[in-house]
Amino acid sequence: MNPHDATSHDPLAGIPRAESWSLLAGQVGQGTVLFCLVALLLSALGFGLAGKFPRLEGVAKALFYTASALIFVPFGVLLTLFLRDQLQYQYVFNHGDFGTPIMFKVGGVWSAQEGSILLWAVVTATFGLLTLPRAGTLTRGYGATYAIALAALCGILAYESPFKLLSDVVRGSEVLIPPQGRGMTPALQNYWIIFHTPTIFIGFGALTIFLAYGVAAMLHGDAKGWLAPARPWALFTLAILGLGICMGGMWAYETQGWGGFWAWDPVENVSLVPWILLVVLTHGIIVQNAGGRWAQSNLWLAGLPYIAFLYGTFLTRSGLLDNVSVHSFASMDKNALVVLRTFLVAASIAYVGLCVWKAKAVAARTYPNPVVHEGLHRESAYRFGMLLLALLGIVISVGMSWPVITALRGGQGARVEEWLYHQVVVWFFVPLMLLMAVTPFISWRAMGRAVLWNRIANILSISIGLTGFLFIGIMDQPWGVRNQMTETLRSPFGGTWPVVPVVAALMFLCLFTAVAALWRTIELAGKMKLSVGGFVAHAGFALLLGGLILSRGFEKKTRTFVQAGSPATALDYSVAFRKLEGKDLFDRDGQAVFELTGMGSQPFEMRPGMYYYEQGEELKTQVWPAIRSMPDHDVYLALFPPVTDVWEAPQPFRVGETRTIDNIKVTYERPTMTGTPGTTGATFGGVFRIESRGETYTVNPSLALTEQGPQPSMTRAGNEFFVLVGRMDAKDKSVDLRLMFQRPIYPIELFYKPFTSLIWVGTGILTLGGLMAAVARRRRRVPASVTDSGDIEVIEPREPGPNLHAPFPAPQS
């Protein structure tokens, strides 16, 4: 036997060995994770014992700061491994490749499970470094809790490590570098992966702050001291986490091709529920600062956003949502999953137990005589609104958990459909939007309904007028009200409701909220700048929701098929396929060019992305939608993988058989053969008569024997089809026949999406307002005449009279 024969078939023969630095880097990365785990556990122990041994507090702080700083090392190592194409590491191999653009090499660091958990740990550590020095008298409890939470992430990373080597490239003491990696999943190769994932994980990481403050407040018996340092972080986290959620919706809109921003997918809801609970906590802090109320509730609320996210992380990383979500996650290492599940259960039981044991007593001791008002006042409005919002969070939590609930009951793990969410959420949406509009005009002191009417009457009038002008303006648009008069949607009471009145009512609520927030912003701009940011955020949120309602409520869409030379009609446009652009079919920047004509406008092109890629032995198509954005609407063209095969599968034919399939008549007239059977160069085939659309073609497709195996010829049938033989039986000469279009058919879906621009504008205003509020509350310097709630005495006249200029003046009393 030739000694070289074995190596000649070795797929790794001749490829380079990994350099020693790269192997050392992986060891440093994993070793640092283990060091941080031990240091953080010791830090938590030191903080816990510092009550009896005060000197340990300094040691605990030093360990915490050291571990939090060092957690950046494995992140930097992983980034370096991606940028240097060190494919010998399993995580880099699965999500990177030599040909991957640098932008996606960076995004590859957090594009999958191990890297995203490492990113979560880095962000959490960053906030720990920023907040622990300002924890004051709560330092011991805060530090111990934070250290345990960060240690849990290091414990997960100890098993779910991005520094594992590919077993196939380890040859004794040598480690080889594979010639190519699998590369990032094509659907993720979008610029949003650079911005969305880090942004939303900044929000997730910051949730640890409130868990730690809640535990510390109860352990130290101080229900008030944590509010001042936590409040700006709560406002910051609301803004950033909200921005991250909106970015995810925009990513879906630009890449998924279903024309929407939000589909109530279980993984989407995992990020929404913590944000909702944080909204409740933030408003609870406002109430507590105003008069000492809600102290006990806020201690409960402090840890719930973090626990909700931890639960959502378990759902998404455990594989429980694999068959019901459009998002996919690799199966987590079993030991890492045990660490995650154990921490989730332990954290939930410990926090709830601590609240049951301590929250009520600590709140009562801190606020022995909280301010109580009778009648209509702002706290009562907040209470009702936050109760509704908390219930909404619970409802969504049940919805995202429904696959698990149904699976435990013996089902297949079904998800809650989008339409059902809409049926339920509307019950919360209507009162919550009314409260958002009205509550800022309600005094913290008891006030009469006539006084409230005086404050909101003009705002209500303006909102009604704006709603009317809006609908008059869109009456005759192609997607406008006049064309929607007969359309209906599901009613929460059963049956259907007409679309136009429902959308009008929902838009009025959004406009009412936005106008009220703008009105309040103007009132307070020169007097109480601390509160301006919050009202700006309210206005942005209302615009965002208004854009979603109009975009979905009045959207028009149609699906059709386009072939080169055969334009189709969609939404009053004539849609023609022009060409494919790109270096080749595998060019990631490849585009399919369509020309749209009609609607009284000049012809314009839309260029959805399309390219092919190999997944194992299968050739797949990646497509992206094309969007033409205008101030009042988007034209949205979703392209689906082109249809090249006439039949779903090759069809078997016997000699002399005639069959009609999909209106195409095929007759197998006789078999053909050239050359010597069983030798290279021999061909087998048959003569077929094909009749389609009044045309008849006689073709002789064949199958040639080559050194690489049987190779079919692509035989033309006129200008319409390619004919291929896939198999021939040597005994009876039966064959499998495949029919392909010479001109592929492109399935497209065309949308009008009204006022999607409001979604982008609203997101920007919402984020800006949240950050303004966070910065304003960073250092509190409030005049004595101003309450902590942000109201100024002059805004609340002691003897208000009725507004005689309102369109419907309140009666004088």
Side-chain angles (χ1 to χ4, degrees):
M1 178 178 176
N2 188 335
H4 296 289
D5 287 347
T7 59
S8 64
H9 297 290
D10 183 355
L12 299 179
I15 68 173
R17 291 183 297 177
E19 297 181 44
S20 57
W21 73 264
S22 66
L23 302 178
L24 178 60
Q27 294 171 356
V28 169
Q30 185 63 9
T32 304
V33 170
L34 297 176
F35 174 83
C36 291
L37 171 61
V38 174
L40 288 164
L41 291 175
L42 291 175
S43 175
L45 181 63
F47 279 122
L49 296 175
K52 293 184 178 180
F53 308 99
R55 292 185 179 180
L56 287 179
E57 183 173 328
V59 176
K61 283 183 178 180
L63 287 169
F64 182 88
Y65 292 143
T66 301
S68 296
L70 286 177
I71 203 66
F72 285 85
V73 172
F75 186 83
V77 167
L78 186 58
L79 177 60
T80 302
L81 296 178
F82 266 93
L83 293 176
R84 297 292 298 273
D85 299 312
Q86 300 302 305
L87 304 179
Q88 68 271 29
Y89 289 95
Q90 183 172 331
Y91 184 74
V92 182
F93 174 82
N94 287 337
H95 308 288
D97 194 16
F98 290 102
T100 302
I102 290 180
M103 176 173 68
F104 298 125
K105 288 181 180 180
V106 174
V109 174
W110 51 72
S111 65
Q113 191 144 256
E114 296 93 323
S116 62
I117 294 173
L118 180 56
L119 176 63
W120 182 11
V122 166
V123 171
T124 303
T126 301
F127 286 117
L129 291 170
L130 293 173
T131 57
L132 183 62
R134 298 176 180 272
T137 57
L138 305 178
T139 295
R140 287 187 289 111
Y142 185 89
T145 306
Y146 212 105
I148 291 171
L150 190 52
L153 293 179
C154 291
I156 294 170
L157 286 169
Y159 294 104
E160 194 74 4
S161 172
F163 303 112
K164 294 177 181 177
L165 292 169
L166 272 171
S167 58
D168 292 343
V169 300
V170 179
R171 303 291 177 87
S173 59
E174 291 185 342
V175 178
L176 308 177
I177 300 179
Q180 64 181 19
R182 292 176 180 169
M184 185 187 294
T185 302
L188 295 179
Q189 293 187 35
N190 182 276
Y191 67 93
W192 280 116
I193 197 169
I194 301 298
F195 303 106
H196 162 68
T197 307
T199 300
I200 203 166
F201 269 95
I202 289 173
F204 292 151
L207 297 177
T208 316
I209 296 171
F210 316 111
L211 172 80
Y213 269 127
V215 171
M218 288 184 280
L219 290 179
H220 291 273
D222 181 5
K224 184 178 181 180
W226 68 285
L227 298 181
R231 186 174 185 179
W233 287 114
L235 294 166
F236 169 82
T237 307
L238 271 181
I240 295 300
L241 184 54
L243 176 62
I245 293 171
C246 292
M247 283 181 171
M250 294 167 183
W251 187 355
Y253 183 66
E254 292 186 358
T255 62
Q256 290 298 315
W258 50 273
F261 292 85
W262 189 266
W264 297 101
D265 185 88
V267 175
E268 295 172 347
N269 294 337
V270 162
S271 60
L272 180 62
V273 171
W275 186 83
I276 288 175
L277 294 175
L278 188 59
V279 172
V280 179
L281 171 64
T282 304
H283 288 80
I285 291 174
I286 294 174
V287 174
Q288 185 176 338
N289 272 331
R293 305 281 291 175
W294 292 27
Q296 180 183 349
S297 299
N298 286 338
L299 292 175
W300 281 84
L301 288 167
L304 290 184
Y306 180 87
I307 292 173
F309 174 63
L310 203 61
Y311 170 66
T313 301
F314 171 72
L315 280 183
T316 56
R317 311 288 173 149
S318 63
L320 294 172
L321 302 179
D322 284 353
N323 297 323
V324 295
S325 173
V326 298
H327 301 77
S328 61
F329 293 89
S331 297
M332 182 177 273
D333 178 273
K334 291 182 179 179
N335 293 318
L337 188 60
V338 168
V339 174
L340 175 59
R341 183 171 59 240
T342 302
F343 182 56
L344 168 63
V345 173
S348 301
I349 293 175
Y351 197 84
V352 172
L354 186 62
C355 287
V356 171
W357 178 34
K358 287 277 193 178
K360 184 176 181 179
V362 171
R365 184 164 59 252
T366 307
Y367 297 97
N369 298 302
V371 178
V372 178
H373 296 292
E374 299 295 334
L376 178 64
H377 51 86
R378 190 177 297 187
E379 187 218 326
S380 62
Y382 272 150
R383 186 189 309 120
F384 182 43
M386 294 306 105
L387 177 61
L388 283 174
L389 204 54
L391 289 174
L392 175 60
I394 293 171
V395 168
I396 296 174
S397 296
V398 172
M400 76 183 189
S401 305
W402 197 248
V404 181
I405 296 171
T406 52
L408 291 175
R409 293 168 55 192
Q412 296 297 316
R415 59 169 289 182
V416 177
E417 296 298 328
E418 182 184 7
W419 67 267
L420 184 55
Y421 275 106
H422 292 163
Q423 296 288 294
V424 175
V425 169
V426 69
W427 291 97
F428 297 90
F429 177 85
V430 173
L432 281 170
M433 294 302 288
L434 287 172
L435 285 168
M436 279 184 65
V438 173
T439 299
F441 298 91
I442 301 176
S443 171
W444 287 100
R445 299 181 295 272
M447 66 184 298
R449 289 175 176 79
V451 176
L452 176 60
W453 173 260
N454 291 333
R455 292 189 171 191
I456 67 171
N458 286 333
I459 298 169
L460 188 65
S461 304
I462 293 171
S463 304
I464 294 172
L466 286 176
T467 305
F469 282 123
L470 172 65
F471 276 73
I472 291 172
I474 65 177
M475 177 70 70
D476 293 315
Q477 294 294 329
W479 39 263
V481 174
R482 198 181 300 280
N483 295 325
Q484 305 270 351
M485 289 298 185
T486 60
E487 296 189 10
T488 60
L489 50 77
R490 294 175 187 257
S491 164
F493 304 101
T496 60
W497 278 349
V499 166
V500 172
V502 171
V503 174
L506 297 179
M507 276 308 303
F508 161 72
L509 291 173
C510 294
L511 288 171
F512 185 30
T513 303
V515 172
L518 178 62
W519 192 289
R520 198 66 168 133
T521 299
I522 295 171
E523 284 184 340
L524 297 179
K527 304 170 183 176
M528 190 57 205
K529 296 181 180 180
L530 288 174
S531 296
V532 167
F535 294 120
V536 171
H538 280 194
F541 185 67
L543 288 176
L544 166 63
L545 292 181
L548 288 172
I549 290 167
L550 285 174
S551 176
R552 185 60 185 274
F554 285 155
E555 78 173 11
K556 301 287 288 183
K557 64 179 179 179
T558 187
R559 189 163 185 170
T560 188
F561 301 90
V562 183
Q563 251 184 325
S566 301
T569 299
L571 298 181
D572 298 323
Y573 282 109
S574 175
V575 184
F577 173 79
R578 291 304 181 215
K579 58 183 175 178
L580 291 176
E581 281 193 354
K583 292 179 294 185
D584 52 48
L585 294 178
F586 295 89
D587 182 3
R588 191 193 164 279
D589 295 321
Q591 296 176 328
V593 182
F594 294 85
E595 184 177 85
L596 278 68
T597 308
M599 301 296 293
S601 64
Q602 293 294 321
F604 60 92
E605 289 184 347
M606 297 197 73
R607 297 168 170 261
M610 190 188 87
Y611 69 98
Y612 293 89
Y613 66 97
E614 294 179 354
Q615 189 171 78
E617 298 182 356
E618 190 176 357
L619 189 66
K620 292 195 170 185
T621 309
Q622 178 63 45
V623 291
W624 314 94
I627 305 170
R628 187 172 188 252
S629 296
M630 284 163 276
D632 61 342
H633 74 282
D634 284 359
V635 179
Y636 186 103
L637 191 153
L639 173 65
F640 299 89
V643 178
T644 55
D645 284 278
V646 177
W647 303 320
E648 291 187 5
Q651 297 296 314
F653 281 85
R654 297 187 302 274
V655 177
E657 182 180 11
T658 298
R659 296 169 60 195
T660 300
I661 308 170
D662 295 336
N663 297 319
I664 300 173
K665 185 178 180 180
V666 180
T667 301
Y668 181 10
E669 295 186 340
R670 67 180 186 277
T672 61
M673 184 189 72
T674 62
T676 303
T679 63
T680 301
T683 63
F684 303 86
V687 176
F688 295 84
R689 186 173 70 252
I690 300 173
E691 300 175 45
S692 172
R693 300 180 183 179
E695 298 288 338
T696 300
Y697 314 105
T698 300
V699 294
N700 182 17
S702 61
L703 193 67
L705 297 181
T706 70
E707 293 181 355
Q708 290 75 35
Q711 297 291 331
S713 65
M714 294 186 67
T715 305
R716 289 180 177 272
N719 295 320
E720 191 169 2
F721 304 115
F722 287 118
V723 187
L724 295 88
V725 173
R727 177 199 62 84
M728 173 174 274
D729 188 282
K731 292 182 179 180
D732 62 9
K733 307 303 181 183
S734 64
V735 299
D736 285 346
L737 197 70
R738 181 181 179 188
L739 217 58
M740 299 178 65
F741 293 108
Q742 291 185 30
R743 296 172 298 137
I745 295 176
Y746 295 92
I748 66 166
E749 195 163 22
L750 195 66
F751 295 77
Y752 291 132
K753 301 289 294 184
F755 288 104
T756 51
S757 57
L758 289 180
I759 300 171
W760 302 86
V761 172
T763 297
I765 295 174
L766 171 64
T767 305
L768 175 64
L771 294 177
M772 287 172 59
V775 171
R777 294 289 175 178
R778 185 180 46 163
R779 292 182 180 179
R780 292 183 38 75
R781 295 177 181 175
V782 186
S785 62
V786 181
T787 69
D788 202 31
S789 67
D791 269 324
I792 302 175
E793 295 294 340
V794 71
I795 299 298
E796 298 176 0
R798 296 193 178 278
E799 296 182 359
N803 185 354
L804 299 179
H805 299 287
F808 307 105
Q812 300 188 38
S813 59

